[in-house]
Amino acid sequence: MSGVGGDWKASDENLGFAQAVLDATAASGDHYRHGLGMIASENIVSPMVQQVITSDLHGRYAEGLPGKRYYQGCDDFDTIEALGIDLAQRVFNCRYANIQSTSGTVSNIGALKALAKPGDKITAVSTADGGHISHARMGAVGLRGLDLTTYPWDVDRMEPDVDAACAMIREVEPTLALVGQSVFLFPTPLQEMADAAHEVGASVMYDGAHVLGLIAGGQFQDPLREGADVMTGSSHKTFPGPQGGFVLSNSDDGKFQRKLNTAIFPGVCSSYHLHHVAGKVVAFAEFLEYGEAYAKAIVENARAFGSAMAAEGFDVLAEGRGYTASHQILTRHGEHDSGAGAKAAQLLEDAGIITNMNMLPGDTKAMTPSGLRLGVQELTRVGMDVTQMEEVARLYARVLIHNEDPAAVKNDVRALKDEFLIIRYCFNESGVSGYPL
Ligand SMILES: Cc1ncc(COP(=O)(O)O)c(C=O)c1O
């Protein structure tokens, strides 16, 4: 091991720190390679995306926009970002796209900066009903100093109570009506809410972090044509790109577009992680080719998984609506605030199934909720279909209903997953070696 201009010997201790990271990284990869990743906000990236996110771009800067930079050396990246903006507009069928933000949360902070000022009123879904922390006082909404009122919620339909929410918007007269959730089973009744918001002069922001891939694939709702002035989201959930975010709009108003751009840079980003921008652009190209089929398969699998879980004896929410219209389903595992969701998640992890506990209607404590939120987008990405959804539901039942030893079930989880190691819906499907290490 050598240092600059010499052959200094690295200390075993410091080398050990780095080695520990490499080992844990490999172990984490193995965990997912041989287990079932079912966290609704996660996904895996394609081999080509993997290639660009580990490229030299990782260490570069390009503040500004294509052709208008503060640094030299950006010509090639300009080509990438300009292409990306064009492809984003095609994928999301919109007139404006900013692909720079480094996460869904950063997109939201930027959009809140552009659309409201400190002290303004905002309406949003409460975190107890599935809204994201960035929609709350503890997150971006609080950071921007906004005065929050949350929508009445329809527990049976698992969406804002549309009449009461519209009445509330008309009464509160917010500057900004924010919609969209982290627990997102069904499309938002957006047209009605957007009409109410526009009537009182409010802008409408749709947070599609979870469902962007389903929207782009034409399988959920079409927010930019149903009244949303701005749509934000993550680039790595049902949209299967590298971690990052988007800000999208159908407005052709140059002043409004510039306001959104400057809210992202210089507003909330300096370096905006060029390797991930390049990864998003590759993901757009792949999505144009395979996205619709992928989104269709996700929703079909989620509905099949909901039915299969109910057939195994689980309490799956929203039975009356077919359990879901997205990539997620929700299951209840005990009394409100009992911590049953956490216990279930741990037993599943012991069996090689990775999920997260989640608050359900009636829960009041985020750390001891009664439920699980399960997503099928990652299993779909490796080619599983409704047949495997039934198999997966049986594995859940063996652990959580028939109380089998999770270690024994883990062998069968591995046997199932090892048949699905090829990443699908992308260019150069490349087998086991294409799976992230
Ligand atoms: C509705 C919603 N918005 C924003 C985010 C934040 O996204 P990110 O993790 O990319 O910051 C999430 C994350 O899950 C989310 O569910």
Side-chain angles (χ1 to χ4, degrees):
M1 193 63 52
S2 62
V4 179
D7 55 313
W8 306 324
K9 175 96 174 65
S11 84
D12 287 345
E13 188 186 15
N14 290 340
L15 195 52
F17 295 147
Q19 190 58 49
V21 174
L22 294 183
D23 292 347
T25 303
S28 172
D30 253 27
H31 213 51
Y32 282 88
R33 173 191 291 259
H34 301 301
L36 301 175
M38 298 192 68
I39 290 180
S41 52
E42 296 186 347
N43 215 320
I44 39 180
V45 290
S46 73
M48 266 179 145
V49 171
Q50 286 177 53
Q51 205 177 324
V52 291
I53 64 180
T54 51
S55 68
D56 175 78
L57 285 172
H58 177 268
R60 304 298 159 198
Y61 267 70
E63 293 178 339
L65 285 165
K68 284 165 74 180
R69 300 293 187 191
Y70 293 83
Y71 297 119
Q72 296 306 117
C74 295
D75 286 359
D76 298 316
F77 184 70
D78 279 358
T79 305
I80 294 170
E81 189 175 348
L83 175 64
I85 292 168
D86 177 42
L87 296 189
Q89 289 169 350
R90 287 200 223 176
V91 165
F92 294 106
N93 187 18
C94 59
R95 297 192 181 98
Y96 165 86
N98 183 301
I99 62 171
Q100 298 180 341
S101 89
T102 50
S103 74
T105 300
V106 169
S107 305
N108 284 349
I109 300 172
L112 292 178
K113 184 172 187 307
L115 299 172
K117 55 183 193 323
D120 282 349
K121 292 181 192 163
I122 186 170
T123 52
V125 176
S126 80
T127 50
D129 292 326
H132 187 247
I133 44 178
S134 59
H135 308 177
R137 284 186 196 93
M138 70 179 118
V141 160
L143 183 74
R144 187 67 177 139
L146 303 177
D147 176 7
L148 173 68
T149 311
T150 55
Y151 302 117
W153 189 254
D154 184 328
V155 171
D156 294 325
R157 293 186 60 76
M158 289 299 285
E159 64 184 25
D161 176 331
V162 62
D163 292 336
C166 289
M168 186 268 251
I169 290 169
R170 289 190 175 97
E171 192 191 319
V172 171
E173 298 188 355
T175 301
L176 181 59
L178 169 57
V179 296
Q181 306 99 244
S182 299
V183 175
F184 214 161
L185 298 180
F186 300 103
T188 301
L190 181 56
Q191 192 79 65
E192 297 90 327
M193 291 174 71
D195 285 349
H198 289 149
E199 217 177 279
V200 297
S203 304
V204 177
M205 171 176 159
Y206 181 102
D207 182 344
H210 265 268
V211 288
L212 272 191
L214 308 181
I215 289 169
Q219 307 301 315
F220 195 62
Q221 66 183 139
D222 194 357
L224 295 178
R225 268 145 291 278
E226 293 169 26
D229 301 299
V230 172
M231 177 161 73
T232 56
S234 309
S235 49
H236 51 268
K237 295 178 171 133
T238 54
F239 184 82
Q243 291 204 338
F246 301 123
V247 179
L248 307 156
S249 174
N250 208 23
S251 170
D252 58 2
D253 175 351
K255 199 168 155 207
F256 185 65
Q257 295 184 350
R258 280 192 295 282
K259 201 169 174 187
L260 292 172
N261 278 339
T262 53
I264 296 299
F265 172 83
V268 292
C269 290
S270 171
S271 163
Y272 50 89
H273 305 182
L274 310 195
H275 55 317
H276 278 210
V277 171
K280 292 175 201 176
V281 183
V282 171
F284 284 138
E286 293 179 326
F287 200 92
L288 284 168
E289 192 72 33
Y290 308 107
E292 188 180 338
Y294 179 45
K296 259 191 193 141
I298 291 174
V299 176
E300 198 176 289
N301 277 348
R303 291 179 74 94
F305 184 56
S307 301
M309 289 289 278
E312 292 292 339
F314 287 102
D315 181 358
V316 187
L317 271 66
E319 180 185 2
R321 297 191 75 183
Y323 307 110
T324 186
S326 72
H327 59 306
Q328 301 180 1
I329 71 156
L330 294 178
T331 50
R332 186 188 301 285
H333 297 270
E335 297 297 313
H336 294 150
D337 293 328
S338 61
K343 275 189 212 133
Q346 185 57 56
L347 287 168
L348 289 168
E349 180 165 1
D350 294 344
I353 303 173
I354 319 297
T355 63
N356 64 270
M357 62 180 178
N358 216 95
M359 285 171 76
L360 302 182
D363 284 326
T364 59
K365 299 192 179 92
M367 288 310 287
T368 53
S370 60
L372 294 176
R373 182 190 66 173
L374 308 169
V376 301
Q377 70 293 337
E378 186 168 336
L379 301 187
T380 307
R381 183 102 156 115
V382 291
M384 291 195 186
D385 63 21
V386 294
T387 311
Q388 284 78 46
M389 293 302 108
E390 288 164 8
E391 281 181 54
V392 172
R394 274 196 293 281
L395 293 165
Y396 273 73
R398 285 173 58 190
V399 177
L400 298 177
I401 294 181
H402 307 301
N403 301 320
E404 260 189 64
D405 178 4
V409 178
K410 192 172 187 174
N411 293 329
D412 295 333
V413 165
R414 181 170 181 152
L416 170 63
K417 183 62 202 311
D418 284 356
E419 290 173 40
F420 293 91
L421 291 174
I422 299 174
I423 303 169
R424 308 285 179 177
Y425 305 103
C426 59
F427 301 137
N428 74 331
E429 294 181 353
S430 58
V432 176
S433 64
Y435 210 83
L437 294 173

